[in-house]
Structures are given as C-alpha cells and as structure tokens.
Amino acid sequence: MGMLDSLSDPVGQVPAGLATGRLDLIPLAAGHADEMALVLSDPALYAFTGGAPLPPDALRARYARLAAGSPDPAVLWRNWVVRLRRDGCLIGTVQATLTPARDQAEMAWVLGTPWQGRGFATEAARALAGHLADIPVGRLVAHIHPDHHASAAVAAACGLSPTRHRQDGEIRWEFARTT
C-alpha cells in the first residue's frame, strides 16, 4: 500500500490520535479553540514565526478549516492538539502537511509558554515523526528560524538535520529515509 492509499480518509474521518508517555495527541477540532486561544495567547510565541495570538472565534474558524482538510486533493493536512495527560489540559499543537506525490511531510509544532523547556515539544514531535515514519513517509521537513534554538533542538531530536536551503529566512531541516 502506498502512502497516498494509507492516508486517504473516508469523507469526514479524522486522523487517529497518538499517545506518548506523558501526552495525548488528539485530532484537532474547532471545539479546541477556546482552550487553545489561552494556550497560544503569549505574543512571545510569535517572535520567530510572525503573526499574533488569535481570539477564540478566529481560532475556531481556523481550526474548522484545518479539520475540514486541504482544498488541494494532492495535499493532506494532519493536525493534533497536545494534551498533557497528567493535568488534562491542552498545551500546544503538532501538525504535518503531506504531499504524497513527493513522498514528503512538513512538520510543525508549538507549545504554550508555560509548558516549554520540559521536553514536551520533543516528545510530541517525535511521536508525530514516528507516526509519519510508520506510514511510511520518505522525507520529513521542518522550516526553522535560524535563531530559534529550541525548535532546532526539537528537529534534531526527530532526526532532522539543517540544510543549506532557506525559505522566508528560515532554515530547511530534513530527514530522508533510506530504503
């Protein structure tokens, strides 16, 4: 079974949840917006990526669009909220944009400021990278601002390495599976 076959969802079906030792990755839904608006409310989160915190109604609309899936049938969106199991609260998101024809997935992650520095981003991103490897996706990619050392450490923990390629001022990190 090829990557496209294993990722094509029946209409309305969302990607499966994932679990780690401390975290649950739950398929993103518009209903997560109120809690996530608080998680993502620190303007410092946007220092490297640009943008600003969204109010709950705007985040709800964004999450509804993401949960509906990509309008491009050649691209698959996979988005999860990250729940800290011990406390039962949401702490961030992980996502992958898959292009099956290119056998590639672009990963991204963000955790609210109070939960940073405790290995949660690495744990969640590694779960995502493992899930993508199981599909299997041949190439994992992340774009990281050159001064965002914490995200670079997460990418490295997922097996990605920096390349010479730059996009919008960010460094392209990659992991390519050899078969």
Side-chain angles (χ1 to χ4, degrees):
M1 178 181 300
M3 184 174 102
L4 181 59
D5 298 327
S6 64
L7 290 175
S8 297
D9 295 325
V11 175
Q13 187 172 343
V14 296
L18 305 170
T20 70
R22 302 179 293 173
L23 306 171
D24 294 314
L25 281 60
I26 303 162
L28 179 108
H32 294 122
D34 288 339
E35 187 173 356
M36 286 303 299
L38 294 171
V39 171
L40 303 175
S41 65
D42 184 352
L45 287 175
Y46 307 89
F48 296 111
T49 60
L54 294 176
D57 58 337
L59 197 57
R60 187 174 303 102
R62 175 179 167 80
Y63 284 1
R65 284 190 308 275
L66 290 171
S70 171
D72 181 347
V75 175
L76 301 170
W77 291 342
R78 298 295 178 260
N79 298 277
W80 294 265
V81 290
V82 179
R83 180 177 60 202
L84 179 58
R85 193 176 306 117
R86 175 191 71 216
D87 297 342
C89 63
L90 300 181
I91 64 171
T93 63
V94 294
Q95 64 188 49
T97 300
L98 296 105
T99 51
R102 293 178 61 199
D103 194 24
Q104 176 175 299
E106 182 157 350
M107 300 172 51
W109 49 86
V110 62
L111 261 65
T113 306
W115 299 278
Q116 294 179 5
R118 297 192 245 169
F120 296 134
T122 297
E123 190 172 332
R126 286 175 104 175
L128 175 57
H131 171 69
L132 295 169
D134 288 345
I135 289 174
V137 173
R139 180 180 310 278
L140 303 181
V141 174
H143 288 90
I144 300 172
H145 189 283
D147 295 329
H148 199 322
H149 304 295
S151 275
V154 171
C158 292
L160 284 73
S161 299
T163 68
R164 289 190 228 161
H165 181 74
R166 302 293 186 267
Q167 181 176 326
D168 298 325
E170 296 182 323
I171 299 170
R172 180 183 175 106
W173 287 64
E174 290 186 6
F175 170 80
R177 177 193 327 274
T178 55
T179 52

